[in-house]
Amino acid sequence: MSRHAQPLAFTMGDAAGIGPELIVRLFAEGLPHPAVVYGDAGTLERARDALGLSGSLQVISVKSPGAGHTGAFIEVLSRSQPLPATLSIGHIHAEAGRGAYEYLCHAIDDALAGHLRAIVTAPLNKAAMRAAGVDFPGHTEILASRTHTHDYAMMLANDELRVLLVTIHVSLASVPAAISIEAELTAIRLAQRACLQAGIAHPRIAVAGLNPHASEEGAFGNEEARFIAPAIAQARTEGLQVSGPWPGDTVFMRARQGEFDIVVAQYHDQGLIPIKYLGLDTGVNVTVGLPFVRTSVDHGTAFDIAGKGIADPASLRAAMRLALTMSAND
């Protein structure tokens, strides 16, 4: 069976957060492609019951991805221990952190084996994972480590803007030392790949500068001249349509207005503040460079509203749709 015909995978994330109810809501709406959930069946059943969907949605445990379902079923795979029914929603639990990690690892392994079309992840909680002895900054690093991927990047996307990061989860003070010609080239090439996967035939890539005004010809730093501009020049010789370095205070607006298809940002907040300012409801997080497509919601576990039945599945829905689009072009 080709990868395109395989089921889409959802990972449940932290059981004490909003992930379970988001997944239940999405399955209750009906899916455009067969899907399975890597998570805890009991947690999903309780989320289903709390949402008043017990009469219309059945949760069933399975031992392999199989063909998946698009109807009134949630197929659940888990090689982790069942979570206790007494686990309190909206609080940090080591068991939930360990589970979230195991669900993700299980899905990664099945995707590497060719059993899944793509992976869509619900949010995990880093504090809960640390309580379980799992020391990773987040999904991205787990995915890269388990797939042995060296060149990867985080991309955030919504209906108006795409942003890919050169550096991800490092301190702001560490960013300049992490900038190099090779790091810039890798990010530019991954931005090209992400756009092609999204169905953009001739991507227009903008690269943001690191310093204010993109250093204003060396007045505020030299990273643009030493690293960023040479990488852009090299990428152009490879046939990529890339420009910059552009001042970070205007390049995102220009991309939003349609001048560019994607912006390569130098550090976490430079790229994520503009895209999250546009709203978290339709934002999607993509790990670019993996052997398979992985998308995720652009929000956290939201412990403050978990279990109240008010979480909006819009970001998860957008992540699912983008995963199907990108995997179709992969």
Side-chain angles (χ1 to χ4, degrees):
M1 185 186 295
S2 72
R3 184 183 289 275
H4 293 171
Q6 300 285 14
L8 187 67
F10 289 87
T11 59
M12 192 181 76
D14 194 290
I18 60 174
E21 59 189 281
L22 295 181
I23 289 173
V24 168
R25 284 189 183 278
L26 200 62
F27 272 73
E29 293 176 0
L31 303 178
H33 188 82
V36 296
V37 178
Y38 289 73
D40 181 73
T43 298
L44 290 166
E45 286 177 343
R46 290 187 286 274
R48 175 203 62 188
D49 295 347
L51 293 169
L53 295 168
S54 57
S56 58
L57 198 59
Q58 183 179 353
V59 177
I60 55 175
S61 295
V62 296
K63 295 183 178 180
S64 63
H69 278 88
T70 57
F73 296 91
I74 302 179
E75 290 189 356
V76 185
L77 294 94
S78 182
R79 64 184 179 197
S80 185
Q81 291 295 318
L83 295 175
T86 55
L87 187 143
S88 54
I89 303 300
H91 296 88
I92 293 172
H93 299 279
E95 303 100 316
R98 168 58 62 178
Y101 175 70
E102 292 291 345
Y103 311 146
L104 178 61
C105 290
H106 191 178
I108 291 170
D109 294 347
D110 280 353
L112 288 173
H115 299 320
L116 301 172
R117 174 164 174 167
I119 298 176
V120 181
T121 59
L124 48 73
N125 185 280
K126 298 169 189 176
M129 284 204 308
R130 286 196 297 271
V134 179
D135 189 18
F136 281 95
H139 273 114
T140 303
E141 292 79 6
I142 298 171
L143 285 151
S145 175
R146 198 163 185 90
T147 59
H148 305 288
T149 300
H150 179 263
D151 293 334
Y152 63 94
M154 177 189 293
M155 180 181 79
L156 275 291
N158 58 29
D159 293 338
E160 301 180 78
L161 189 62
R162 295 179 193 85
V163 175
L164 186 137
L165 305 179
V166 176
T167 64
I168 308 176
H169 294 126
V170 298
S171 70
L172 188 57
S174 303
V175 170
I179 300 297
S180 66
I181 294 176
E182 189 54 43
E184 297 292 327
L185 265 174
T186 296
I188 292 168
R189 291 166 181 156
L190 289 171
Q192 173 83 357
R193 174 177 171 177
C195 286
L196 292 174
Q197 288 178 317
I200 301 169
H202 304 288
R204 297 164 300 164
I205 305 166
V207 181
L210 173 67
N211 297 293
H213 300 246
S215 85
E216 204 162 291
E217 298 184 357
F220 309 126
N222 60 15
E223 287 84 3
E224 285 77 9
R226 292 175 61 201
F227 307 119
I228 302 175
I232 291 171
Q234 173 61 36
R236 286 176 181 159
T237 68
E238 298 174 8
L240 279 66
Q241 190 176 340
V242 54
S243 62
W246 300 110
D249 58 356
T250 56
V251 68
F252 301 100
M253 175 189 67
R254 294 169 64 185
R256 187 185 179 195
Q257 292 173 340
E259 189 173 347
F260 308 116
D261 296 305
I262 191 168
V263 178
V264 173
Q266 298 303 319
Y267 57 92
H268 187 279
D269 284 11
Q270 183 188 52
L272 268 56
I273 287 174
I275 203 157
K276 291 191 176 186
Y277 180 78
L278 295 173
L280 299 177
D281 52 344
T282 59
V284 179
N285 182 330
V286 184
T287 306
V288 185
L290 299 173
F292 49 81
V293 170
R294 176 265 174 169
T295 66
S296 183
V297 294
D298 187 21
H299 57 71
T301 48
F303 279 172
D304 56 328
I305 64 168
K308 297 181 179 179
I310 59 175
D312 186 351
S315 182
L316 187 65
R317 187 185 304 114
M320 173 190 67
R321 290 173 176 167
L322 186 57
L324 291 173
T325 296
M326 294 184 74
S327 57
N329 296 309
D330 193 23

